[in-house]
Amino acid sequence: VQDAASSQDRRSGEDEGSQQHWKEEICQILREIQAPLSPLLLRLCHWLLPKLLTRLFLSVQLHWGQLEMVLRAARTPEVPLVFLCSHQSQVDGPLLSFILLSQGIGLPRVTVGAWPSPCLRSLLQRLGGIFLPSRMAQTLSDQDEGLPGAVLDAYIQEVLQSRQPLLLFLEEPSASLRLADPARCWLLRVLRALRDGAVPDVLVVPVGIAYDVAP
């Protein structure tokens, strides 16, 4: 992050005012990516979501044998879990977060592709959602990511090092079966964390989700 900041303004040197400017910009980028989790909101959603699911669906079915494999994988020391999931509807994120949390795996950090309204974004961040910085979300290019890309790299490294589960959606709802541009950007961060040795390994868990009728 320091290298990215200094490369944007070589003339800044050790100037205290310039350093304060970069610190403020870095904090702003972090606020765009994530917000502190809200235990009150998490408990409320944990209580409310089952009631919502029973109104939306006749049943929610899990493959218990595969879930047991995931629980064993979650006990692997020093290795974080990265869930790669198909994406059928906007219910997917809350549904999978509820399942993983209720099974003792932990609350995942869930990547969100498009930027919703500010109020909804703030709510999702408090529930574990993470977003691409605004400048990266607008361009989605690997070229010249600058300071936002460096901050995002460092953030994903911290998430993996702390062994928080990371949930990546590979496609957009109701889109063709191809890797979405935001998913490509998030996956690149995981690969860089491995390449740079931030974590020794990751356990990749493919997740399939399907609905008789997508909500």
Side-chain angles (χ1 to χ4, degrees):
V1 173
Q2 290 176 340
D3 291 342
S6 61
S7 68
Q8 290 192 24
D9 189 1
R10 293 293 184 185
R11 295 172 298 177
S12 63
E14 295 299 322
D15 180 69
E16 184 176 347
S18 179
Q19 289 184 4
Q20 182 64 25
H21 164 75
W22 290 123
K23 183 177 181 180
E24 292 174 357
E25 185 168 347
I26 289 166
C27 290
Q28 175 60 33
I29 294 170
L30 276 173
R31 284 193 293 269
E32 292 180 348
I33 296 173
Q34 60 100 49
L37 297 175
S38 169
L40 177 61
L41 276 176
L42 287 170
R43 286 195 294 268
L44 178 62
C45 288
H46 197 79
W47 172 80
L48 190 61
L49 193 59
K51 302 179 184 303
L52 174 64
L53 293 177
T54 57
R55 291 185 176 274
L56 285 177
F57 311 119
L58 292 176
S59 64
V60 177
Q61 299 178 2
L62 299 175
H63 191 297
W64 288 110
Q66 294 177 357
L67 183 59
E68 179 60 32
M69 293 173 61
V70 175
L71 292 172
R72 288 202 302 269
R75 293 191 287 268
T76 304
E78 306 301 326
V79 180
L81 290 175
V82 177
F83 295 88
L84 303 182
C85 184
S86 59
H87 203 5
Q88 303 297 321
S89 84
Q90 302 299 341
V91 180
D92 297 349
L95 175 61
L96 292 172
S97 294
F98 169 73
I99 291 172
L100 295 176
L101 186 60
S102 64
Q103 296 301 315
I105 295 174
L107 182 73
R109 287 292 185 172
V110 182
T111 62
V112 184
W115 269 45
S117 66
C119 290
L120 181 57
R121 185 177 77 245
S122 177
L123 174 63
L124 293 176
Q125 286 180 324
R126 296 289 182 177
L127 296 174
I130 54 177
F131 294 79
L132 293 174
S134 56
R135 277 184 280 171
M136 293 182 64
Q138 293 166 3
T139 59
L140 287 176
S141 171
D142 294 341
Q143 303 298 321
D144 193 24
E145 292 176 338
L147 189 60
V151 174
L152 187 61
D153 282 336
Y155 174 77
I156 291 298
Q157 289 184 12
E158 289 291 333
V159 169
L160 296 176
Q161 288 172 346
S162 62
R163 298 190 70 236
Q164 296 180 65
L166 183 62
L167 177 58
L168 307 180
F169 289 110
L170 300 180
E171 59 199 14
E172 294 297 330
S174 68
S176 58
L177 294 176
R178 65 178 182 85
L179 186 64
D181 290 335
R184 192 186 308 274
C185 189
W186 288 111
L187 285 170
L188 181 61
R189 266 67 221 175
V190 176
L191 291 174
R192 285 179 179 172
L194 283 169
R195 181 199 64 190
D196 296 342
V199 287
D201 200 359
V202 297
L203 287 171
V204 176
V205 182
V207 180
I209 185 167
Y211 303 92
D212 291 335
V213 178

